[in-house]
Amino acid sequence: MLLSSILVCLLSQVSFASAGPNSSEEWWRDSFVYQIYPRSFKDSNGDGVGDLNGITSKLEHLADINVSALWISPIYVSPMVDFGYDIANFTDIDPVFGTLDDFSKLVTKAKSLGLKVLLDFVPNHSSDKHPWFLKSIQRVKPYDEYYIWKDPKIVNGTRQPPNNWLSAFQGSAWEWNEQRKQYYLHQFATGQPDLNYRNPALNEEMKEALRFWLRRGVEGFRIDTIPSLVEDDRFLDEPKIPNTGLPDTDPNTLSHIYTYNQHETYEVLKTWRDVLDEFNGTKKIILTEAYTNLTYLIKYYKYGSNIPFNFMFMGQLNNKSSPLDFKRDMDSYLNEIPPGEVANWVVGNHDQQRISWRFGVKRADWLSMVAAVAPGVGVIYNGDEIGMENRPMSWEETVDPAGCNAGRDRYTIYSRDPARSPFQWDSTTSAGFSTSNKTWLPVNSNYKTLNLEIQKKTPGSHYHIFKQLVDLKRHPVVKEGTTEIIVIHDVLAIVRRLPGTTPVVLLLNFSSNDVIADFSAWLNSPRVMTVYTASVGSGIQPGKFHNLTSFRLAPSAAVIFV
Ligand SMILES: *[C@@H]1O[C@H](CO)[C@@H](O)[C@H](O)[C@H]1NC(C)=O
Ligand SMILES: *[C@@H]1O[C@H](CO)[C@@H](O)[C@H](O)[C@H]1NC(C)=O
Ligand SMILES: *[C@@H]1O[C@H](CO)[C@@H](O)[C@H](O)[C@H]1NC(C)=O
Ligand SMILES: *[C@@H]1O[C@H](CO)[C@@H](O)[C@H](O)[C@H]1NC(C)=O
Ligand SMILES: *[C@@H]1O[C@H](CO)[C@@H](O)[C@H](O)[C@H]1NC(C)=O
Ligand SMILES: *[C@@H]1O[C@H](CO)[C@@H](O)[C@H](O)[C@H]1NC(C)=O
Ligand SMILES: *[C@@H]1O[C@H](CO)[C@@H](O)[C@H](O)[C@H]1NC(C)=O
Ligand SMILES: *[C@@H]1O[C@H](CO)[C@@H](O)[C@H](O)[C@H]1NC(C)=O
Ligand SMILES: *[C@@H]1O[C@H](CO)[C@@H](O)[C@H](O)[C@H]1NC(C)=O
Ligand SMILES: *[C@@H]1O[C@H](CO)[C@@H](O)[C@H](O)[C@H]1NC(C)=O
Ligand SMILES: CC(=O)N[C@H]1CO[C@H](CO)[C@@H](O)[C@@H]1O
Ligand SMILES: [Ca+2]
Ligand SMILES: [Ca+2]
């Protein structure tokens, strides 16, 4: 690109609301939260599946990288149809993961290391093996009303589901029960009947489940798939979206105006917030999982969510996005954060491919760097801190129902297994994940070169970068400064500024074209700045000074200056 070509530079200023009077109670501010997928983190008993004692044995790692909290994906009793998201007892631990005693040991050790323990709360449905559902089928009171049962619609003498609602996993969201002679609603798998939040007794049970874990030292919850919680009680057909070209069984053929984002869902959330606030001591946190639009997302703050997950890096922005796309979406989001509330940036999770697959291996550090420099909380998924990569799975190796249900030809589009391969601790058997060489999902064969032990010994590794990013969250300019997102050619810059101090600057090079720019002029920064950290492969040394009047970054490289 010629220097004379039109320069794109857009600048906006988002003043970041200063922390409210009670913000000191909000321990999650300016920190990273760490997601553990328990089957894949650490196996303590050699059965090839991760467990609670395994997590406990590795808590020192989380203290070392100094995240504020760990949230553990479901560990409850489950037939494992959906690997724990189908729960048969909300207040007990599945034997594959251990016992309640093991859980108490985990919490005690976490507390001694200054780590908060958060659990996954899956309120939309239970397993169809849950005793409540079995009693509901029998119409035993009060369980008869715990689920959403409807009479069939009789069309020309034949039995039909009560309306046209579709399950997220394809086909009618209604399943006929021959014993009760009614249909029940399941927004996900047939084995995951939806709970009925219009029944107060049911919500009291769920609130008791929250209290059960809070009494055991849990400091908050991540709430699974909240937008589908409550449905419209008129049970009207949802409008069809014309010309999708999809089969009639596909949920994307309907506009989900009666099954998603209902106002009553927010009111139920508020009742859970009140339960958490009953507990004295450390303030309790709620993180909500909602793939929804910005209006509905921001509304969760008002009803008690502290961290309505910001999923903009999970598809909305991808490896085809330009720096301007990043700027537009990040600005729109930051503009909407209510005063006193905290933004958040989700880097990865168990439902997405690894970052290095979504954005490329060279960009594996990008999103953590954005999450560190941008205001608010960063949320990472186990393995992100060492740049773990997808482990492609053959059809025979695939176990995720989302992949298996899609069939041999299409499973790679839907399977979430590649991001769930075991954590790579070291170069020993099964990457130190298990003493067994047979693990529930195969270990990535790159583990002898990509593992935590090696990265600890290697300056400039993902591990060392991540530790610096966690520390940067406590930098006064990052905690309190204003935020500007600036695009210069193919470079995205985030500038944090506090009067009277040196700004903090992040540069991400999206380009494969040749551009050398006077960044100090574009960014209104000092001419000479110090490298705080830089992405793996950038060739840039921390601690070195650089003259920003003519500065050059490798393609896909990222650097933070202070
Ligand atoms: C701050 O905390 C006090 C006591 O917990 C509470 O009464 C007050 O409403 C809180 N203020 C804000 C702004 O949340
Ligand atoms: C870890 O983070 C906490 C709070 O964010 C901070 O007070 C502490 O100094 C950090 N520990 C280390 C070893 O950096
Ligand atoms: C869940 O498990 C606990 C402990 O085994 C048991 O006491 C409780 O009754 C179970 N809950 C239900 C609803 O079955
Ligand atoms: C009911 O049957 C009649 C006569 O066979 C047919 O014309 C009509 O389309 C049917 N209605 C529906 C809703 O299938
Ligand atoms: C919190 O503290 C208040 C006042 O000391 C007490 O009445 C209440 O029972 C405590 N709540 C819990 C859940 O411990
Ligand atoms: C989100 O969707 C609702 C319902 O369609 C709409 O009213 C609202 O304007 C949307 N918000 C955004 C930011 O698109
Ligand atoms: C970009 O991402 C898609 C998946 O979203 C992936 O298939 C493709 O390989 C990626 N391309 C590059 C160059 O990383
Ligand atoms: C796995 O371990 C068994 C028993 O120690 C051994 O016989 C086998 O060769 C190992 N397989 C691999 C792939 O390392
Ligand atoms: C980004 O990478 C390209 C390709 O190597 C390079 O020409 C350009 O100078 C880099 N941009 C910056 C700002 O360093
Ligand atoms: C930075 O580079 C510019 C252009 O090469 C030069 O004029 C200036 O003296 C340099 N400044 C410092 C402090 O090195
Ligand atoms: C993103 C997503 O769908 N997450 C979970 C939502 O809930 C279903 C059913 O519990 C799970 O299968 C998903 O993992
Ligand atoms: Ca195990
Ligand atoms: Ca529901």
Side-chain angles (χ1 to χ4, degrees), residues 211-232:
R211 291 189 188 100
F212 179 91
W213 296 109
L214 288 163
R215 283 194 288 264
R216 278 163 183 74
V218 164
E219 315 261 24
F221 297 90
R222 172 269 192 187
I223 302 178
D224 181 64
T225 191
I226 193 162
S228 63
L229 196 69
V230 185
E231 293 78 22
D232 188 288

Side-chain angles (χ1 to χ4, degrees), residues 1 488-492 507-517 519 540 550-557:
M1 193 194 289
I488 309 147
H489 301 291
D490 278 338
V491 173
L492 182 78
L507 299 180
L508 303 172
N509 189 359
F510 283 63
S511 174
S512 47
N513 297 312
D514 205 28
V515 176
I516 297 183
F519 284 97
I540 298 171
S550 98
F551 177 71
R552 194 176 178 285
L553 268 176
S556 295

Side-chain angles (χ1 to χ4, degrees), residues 39-101:
R39 295 180 72 85
S40 300
F41 195 61
K42 172 70 185 173
D43 171 24
S44 71
N45 61 353
D47 66 356
V49 183
D51 46 53
L52 291 177
N53 288 340
I55 296 171
T56 306
S57 73
K58 291 295 188 184
L59 287 174
E60 283 84 357
H61 170 57
L62 304 191
D64 173 41
I65 59 176
N66 207 13
V67 294
S68 59
L70 50 139
W71 68 267
I72 312 175
S73 285
I75 48 175
Y76 314 108
V77 175
S78 167
M80 301 287 166
V81 168
D82 194 13
F83 290 107
Y85 283 93
D86 48 320
I87 296 169
N89 186 327
F90 289 98
T91 55
D92 203 3
I93 306 275
D94 196 277
V96 89
F97 295 123
T99 63
L100 279 168
D101 275 351

